[in-house]
Amino acid sequence: MDVGRVQEVASSLLFSGTLPSEFVRPETEQPGITTVKGQVLAVPVIDFTNPDDDSVLTAIHDASLNWGMFQIINHQIPNEVITHLQAVGKEFFELRPEEKEIYAKPSASKSVEGYGTKLEKEIDGKRGWVDHLFHIIWPPSSINYNFWPQNPPSYRVANEEYRKNLHGVVEKLFRSLSLGLGLEGHELKERVGGDELVYLLKINYYPPCPRPDLALGVPAHTDMSAVTILVPNEVQGLQAFRDGHWYDVNYIPNALVIHIGDQIEILSNGKYKSVFHRTTVNKEKTRISWPVFLEPPPEFEVGPHPKLVDEENPAKYKTKKYSEYAYCKLNKIPQ
């Protein structure tokens, strides 16, 4: 076990009302102080069944330019597929601790896969109020089933069904993002791995917290992926940074939340912006989310697309292997 599981800490604090000091954020980060109250951020909402393809493309392009974030409704992933994914994930985290520890991330592993708590270098020893489970769900050559829970028994089926339904959304997203930059529809995805693009699933489990005004589930960050596709449960928690302030993001049942990640910002040479966001927690309710990080393979090099670089628009980012980028990001080393 890397550090004490937050779920166990939460259980021990059930009636105390106090928060261990390692979870208390600095005042500049505390959501009780820094969240804009009474105002929910209405990030762009895009209807994937809109028959006007140009309208959908323009909406995705504009949202990626100006927000780095949007929500997709009518994405044609059946509600029951998402509900099943959520049910088996929730059931895993409700298992006894020793059953979950079977899937713990090995201490010497360079991969993020497995059940764990600590993900990145912690500043001043401050911890996020979250436990997680990571495992790759695509491509088949990258999957390690040792990190897929065997209990609940339908865990694998639920995840495979979700992945199968996700492919169409992924293709449409990358095609739209690519065309929006004036590239051919296939070019952007090819530059982050093409058919070897990795789908890394994470389950974030945020148990009830006695002082949600002082803690954060996940501190402020941008995703290092190319694109993130996130399914939340119904408990509010996602916040985005906009015009110098933190806002709750509006929750839409059955919508997919899309984050532009660092690799698309790099590929677009800064035209598309990766979204700065964080997660808050709740005093009474457990929040759970299921992001899928669409990532280049570890040895794949990503840099500004050559067609988007010229004398007037020189490259703003280095070209480097994704594994090197990820190492620097997780260890708080400048890129």
Side-chain angles (χ1 to χ4, degrees), residues 149-163:
Q150 293 183 23
N151 190 13
S154 60
Y155 186 91
R156 178 167 170 172
V157 170
N159 279 262
E160 288 178 340
E161 192 67 18
Y162 180 61
R163 176 193 69 205

Side-chain angles (χ1 to χ4, degrees), residues 54 61 82 113 118 125 127 129 144 149 190 195 197 202 210-211 216 225 230 233 248 295 300 304 311 327:
D54 287 343
H61 176 69
I82 291 177
E113 286 192 277
K118 183 179 177 181
R127 297 177 58 190
W129 191 263
N144 183 348
E190 283 180 358
D195 291 340
L197 181 73
K202 181 187 186 190
R211 291 297 304 273
L216 286 171
S225 59
L230 181 140
N233 73 349
D248 290 323
E295 303 182 335
F300 200 89
E311 284 187 14
Y327 178 84

Side-chain angles (χ1 to χ4, degrees), residues 35-328:
T35 301
V36 175
K37 305 289 193 299
Q39 193 173 340
V40 174
L41 198 62
V43 304
V45 178
I46 299 171
D47 185 345
F48 254 30
T49 56
N50 183 339
D52 184 349
D53 287 345
D54 287 343
S55 174
V56 173
L57 192 154
T58 300
I60 290 173
H61 176 69
D62 289 350
S64 303
L65 281 178
N66 300 312
W67 290 79
M69 168 187 253
F70 50 95
Q71 300 199 55
I72 298 172
I73 58 171
N74 300 323
H75 40 69
Q76 298 181 305
I77 299 178
N79 291 345
E80 58 268 23
V81 170
I82 291 177
T83 301
H84 194 193
L85 176 81
Q86 292 175 315
V88 295
K90 180 173 182 284
E91 207 173 321
F92 169 75
F93 276 93
E94 290 171 350
L95 295 174
R96 295 193 310 274
E98 58 271 24
E99 291 188 74
K100 289 178 288 196
E101 293 300 335
I102 294 169
Y103 304 97
K105 175 188 167 184
S107 57
S109 175
K110 292 183 179 179
S111 165
V112 298
E113 286 192 277
Y115 171 61
T117 297
K118 183 179 177 181
L119 176 59
E120 59 186 357
K121 184 178 179 182
E122 292 163 341
I123 304 300
D124 299 326
K126 295 299 182 185
R127 297 177 58 190
W129 191 263
V130 63
D131 295 325
H132 61 248
L133 174 68
F134 276 104
H135 59 75
I136 290 170
I137 59 172
W138 188 263
S141 59
S142 297
I143 292 174
N144 183 348
Y145 287 112
N146 290 331
F147 296 118
W148 290 49
Q150 293 183 23
N151 190 13
S154 60
Y155 186 91
R156 178 167 170 172
V157 170
N159 279 262
E160 288 178 340
E161 192 67 18
Y162 180 61
R163 176 193 69 205
K164 185 174 76 176
N165 280 275
L166 206 53
H167 287 314
V169 175
V170 172
E171 293 301 321
K172 189 167 182 174
L173 276 174
F174 274 102
R175 181 175 181 277
S176 299
L177 290 166
S178 198
L179 292 171
L181 292 169
L183 302 171
E184 298 293 322
H186 59 88
E187 289 188 277
L188 213 54
K189 189 183 175 198
E190 283 180 358
R191 291 281 173 165
V192 287
D195 291 340
E196 296 303 306
L197 181 73
V198 173
Y199 293 30
L200 175 65
L201 176 88
K202 181 187 186 190
I203 306 176
N204 289 305
Y205 188 91
Y206 310 95
C209 176
R211 291 297 304 273
D213 56 318
L214 302 179
L216 286 171
V218 178
H221 66 288
T222 59
D223 292 345
M224 60 188 177
S225 59
V227 175
T228 303
I229 301 176
L230 181 140
V231 169
N233 73 349
E234 75 287 352
V235 180
Q236 177 68 49
L238 181 61
Q239 292 192 335
F241 195 66
R242 185 83 172 162
D243 302 325
H245 300 284
W246 286 104
Y247 295 89
D248 290 323
V249 173
N250 58 321
Y251 167 71
I252 302 173
N254 300 314
L256 300 176
V257 183
I258 310 299
H259 297 167
I260 297 298
D262 294 348
Q263 305 312 302
I264 288 294
E265 178 171 326
I266 291 166
L267 259 178
S268 71
N269 204 27
K271 287 187 169 66
Y272 293 149
K273 299 290 188 287
S274 57
V275 63
F276 197 48
H277 59 287
R278 69 183 187 184
T279 308
T280 59
V281 291
N282 190 284
K283 191 168 186 174
E284 286 89 26
K285 298 175 183 175
T286 296
R287 182 173 192 270
I288 315 176
S289 66
W290 289 257
V292 171
F293 301 102
L294 304 174
E295 303 182 335
E299 298 303 299
F300 200 89
E301 289 193 344
V302 179
H305 196 288
K307 291 185 179 179
L308 302 176
V309 175
D310 55 32
E311 284 187 14
E312 291 182 11
N313 299 287
K316 298 175 182 174
Y317 308 87
K318 297 175 185 174
T319 296
K320 59 167 61 178
K321 288 181 180 178
Y322 183 65
S323 58
E324 294 174 6
Y325 186 93
Y327 178 84
C328 291

